[in-house]
């Protein structure tokens, strides 16, 4: 079976050797040595000033929204994983969708200002498939209207934009370390921000608001990652350069294979060093997508419809909202298998099946 992704597992012995440190200290959660070690290594690896690692990539979105008031209208993208929208609603805020740029698949920055009202408190946009939003324009708009900017950077491990980590942009950026993501801890995530005030607040929030055992700084939640998960991160991290190299090779093979086809491929924003996190292809129609998907499934090949449906169409969102570009792309896009260990002959098979089934 060929799935859209396959979790990279480090040699088991290397994982066990790291775990031994947790056994030796009889300490498996509540910010032990392994969590602190992983944070330090990630800070250096990613070249970010602040990082707080968490138990998944959704809780950082919720914490960020809560820090910035937890109310009002949040300008957001309809083309992302459901967590982007569900976090907004879960936190009691109201999503205000702005349609996407059909080439980069990120929020269309030219349409943001028209959506701002006196109720708008923040912008929460996704760097889709690791492709950065137009962070400069968004920053200008946010400054002019006094809005906070949160980036759902779940797909962005290792991405740089204009020579620095994409996590450095916006007031807060978040990442997911889920097993299906590029870098992983099984379940996990992180919150990044340059502002010490916010990282401190996030730190208290992710541990029930504790300020020592008997005092509370404020309201909090349980966003703590365990030592067992941190150990996985420490075991995976040394392989990141190899992982990205292997994925680049698969991506190059796909690109070559589709050179002479009419498939629409992802346009990476200028100034980006990308991480090869996903390989989306956009068909001419949903009909064509369904035909190709069925042909691949028949051979036990399972691409995923990332992202479908467009988030303005999920049941708990006001159904009157129309996002024509996002709806159209959502109905026609699929992410192809991409992982370490995907063989050249498997890639050729996928490419040929797709080309043979285009309408
Ligand atoms: C994976 C993902 C999340 C959620 O991360 P978890 O670690 O699964 O909680 C949020 N946003 C986007 C865009 C994602 O792809």
């Amino acid at each position: 079976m060929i799935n859209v992704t396959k979790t990279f597992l480090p040699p088991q012995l290397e994982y066990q050797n790291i775990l031994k440190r947790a056994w030796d200290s009889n300490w498996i959660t509540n910010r032990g040595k392994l969590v602190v070690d992983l944070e330090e290594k990630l800070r250096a690896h990613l070249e970010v000033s602040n990082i707080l690692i968490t138990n998944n990539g959704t809780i950082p979105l919720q914490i960020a929204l809560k820090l910035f008031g937890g109310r009002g209208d949040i300008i957001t993208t309809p083309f992302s994983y459901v967590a982007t929208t569900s976090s907004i609603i879960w936190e009691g805020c109201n999503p205000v969708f702005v349609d996407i740029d059909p080439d980069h698949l990120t929020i269309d920055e030219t349409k943001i200002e028209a959506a701002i009202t006196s109720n708008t408190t923040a912008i929460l946009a996704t760097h889709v498939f690791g492709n950065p939003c137009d962070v400069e324009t968004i920053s200008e708009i946010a400054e002019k209207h006094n809005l906070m900017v949160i980036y759902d950077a779940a797909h962005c491990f290792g991405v740089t934009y204009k020579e620095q980590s994409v996590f450095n942009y916006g007031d807060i950026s978040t990442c997911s370390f889920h097993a299906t993501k590029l870098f992983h801890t099984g379940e996990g995530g992180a919150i990044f921000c340059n502002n010490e005030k916010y990282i401190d607040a996030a730190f208290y929030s992710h541990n029930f608001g504790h300020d020592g055992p008997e005092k509370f700084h404020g309201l909090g939640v349980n966003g703590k990652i365990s030592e067992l998960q941190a150990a996985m991160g420490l075991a995976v991290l040394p392989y990141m350069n190899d992982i990205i190299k292997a994925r680049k090779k698969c991506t190059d093979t796909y690109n070559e294979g589709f050179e002479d086809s009419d498939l629409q491929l992802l346009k990476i924003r200028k100034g980006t060093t990308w991480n090869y996190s996903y390989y989306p292809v956009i068909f001419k129609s949903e009909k064509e997508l369904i035909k190709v998907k069925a042909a691949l499934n028949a051979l036990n090949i399972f691409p995923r419809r990332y992202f479908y449906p467009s988030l303005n169409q999920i049941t708990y969102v006001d159904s009157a909202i129309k996002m024509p570009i996002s709806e159209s792309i959502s109905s026609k896009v699929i992410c192809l298998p991409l992982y370490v260990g995907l063989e050249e002959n498997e890639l050729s098979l996928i490419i040929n099946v797709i080309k043979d089934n285009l309408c």
Side-chain angles (χ1 to χ4, degrees):
M1 188 172 88
I2 300 177
N3 247 325
V4 64
T5 193
K6 182 173 171 183
T7 300
F8 175 85
L9 289 176
Q12 203 179 346
L13 205 60
E14 291 178 21
Y15 179 55
Q16 282 169 2
N17 282 338
I18 298 168
L19 273 183
K20 188 170 179 303
R21 292 163 58 192
W23 256 251
D24 289 346
S25 55
N26 209 320
W27 190 281
I28 62 165
T29 189
N30 281 1
R31 216 176 154 72
K33 290 187 189 121
L34 299 183
V35 168
V36 173
D37 190 11
L38 180 59
E39 269 180 9
E40 275 166 15
K41 290 199 162 86
L42 287 174
R43 189 182 294 116
H45 180 94
L46 298 166
E47 300 183 30
V48 291
S49 40
N50 291 307
I51 171 173
L52 173 69
I53 56 179
T54 55
N55 50 2
N56 59 52
T58 303
I59 209 88
L61 294 171
Q62 293 176 226
I63 289 175
L65 288 162
K66 192 77 95 190
L67 286 184
F68 297 157
R71 66 191 155 71
D73 291 351
I74 311 292
I75 291 191
T76 192
T77 176
F79 190 70
S80 182
Y81 184 59
V82 69
T84 315
T85 297
S86 62
S87 300
I88 293 172
I89 297 173
W90 193 263
E91 288 304 318
C93 305
N94 179 40
V96 172
F97 293 103
V98 167
D99 214 344
I100 58 169
D101 162 350
D103 297 322
H104 298 100
L105 309 184
T106 46
I107 195 167
D108 185 342
E109 64 283 353
T110 66
K111 294 181 179 159
I112 292 177
E113 271 200 291
I116 295 174
T117 69
S118 56
N119 288 327
T120 311
T121 53
I123 299 169
L124 167 49
T126 302
H127 300 311
V128 179
F129 304 134
N131 197 21
C133 299
D134 181 343
V135 291
E136 283 113 349
T137 305
I138 292 174
S139 160
E140 278 165 28
I141 294 169
E143 232 164 87
K144 182 170 154 199
H145 296 273
N146 201 18
L147 304 174
M148 304 313 286
V149 179
I150 304 164
Y151 286 116
D152 182 339
H155 306 162
C156 292
F157 194 95
V159 171
T160 66
Y161 179 68
K162 302 215 165 147
E163 315 288 307
Q164 61 167 318
S165 171
V166 81
F167 297 136
N168 281 334
Y169 295 91
D171 293 294
I172 284 186
S173 281
T174 67
C175 192
S176 167
F177 301 158
H178 185 256
T180 56
K181 300 296 193 322
L182 196 63
F183 166 78
H184 79 92
T185 57
E187 289 274 359
I191 191 159
F192 301 89
C193 76
N194 295 321
N195 186 322
E196 301 287 335
K197 193 176 81 192
Y198 297 138
I199 200 82
D200 280 352
F203 185 87
Y204 289 119
S205 311
H206 101 298
N207 183 22
F208 302 102
H210 267 293
D211 181 6
E214 296 175 4
K215 222 173 100 197
F216 290 91
H217 178 266
L219 182 66
V221 70
N222 185 356
K224 286 179 281 110
I225 189 169
S226 78
E227 293 289 279
L228 311 178
Q229 294 160 296
M232 179 59 81
L234 286 166
V236 172
L237 187 59
Y239 292 94
M240 282 319 294
N241 291 341
D242 294 341
I243 291 171
I244 290 179
K245 216 182 284 168
R247 298 175 74 108
K248 177 178 189 306
K249 192 148 171 279
C250 296
T251 302
D252 290 345
T253 303
Y254 276 137
N255 283 343
E256 251 168 65
F258 295 133
E259 220 166 37
D260 55 355
S261 77
D262 311 331
L263 287 172
Q264 186 194 328
L265 305 176
L266 181 63
K267 183 174 172 191
I268 303 294
R269 193 174 302 278
K270 220 167 144 266
T272 304
T273 308
W274 193 42
N275 62 359
Y276 309 93
S277 47
Y278 294 86
Y279 197 90
V281 292
I282 303 170
F283 295 99
K284 277 200 297 295
S285 64
E286 185 167 23
K287 188 167 150 254
E288 190 174 63
L289 176 151
I290 289 168
K291 183 167 173 241
V292 169
K293 183 167 168 258
L296 289 168
N297 289 170
L299 296 168
N300 258 333
I301 300 168
F302 298 97
R304 270 286 292 264
R305 293 186 74 174
Y306 286 142
F307 295 107
Y308 176 82
S310 181
L311 295 172
N312 56 299
Q313 295 179 311
I314 48 181
T315 52
Y316 47 81
V317 167
D318 177 0
S319 61
I321 309 157
K322 293 278 173 279
M323 290 284 127
I325 299 170
S326 176
E327 286 169 34
S328 164
I329 292 195
S330 281
S331 72
K332 300 183 300 194
V333 65
I334 218 164
C335 283
L336 299 183
L338 178 58
Y339 51 82
V340 177
L342 189 61
E343 305 283 349
E344 283 291 319
N345 62 332
E346 296 172 322
L347 288 160
S348 303
L349 175 66
I350 296 167
I351 292 165
N352 290 333
V353 171
I354 292 175
K355 284 162 112 179
D356 287 348
N357 282 280
L358 296 177
C359 301

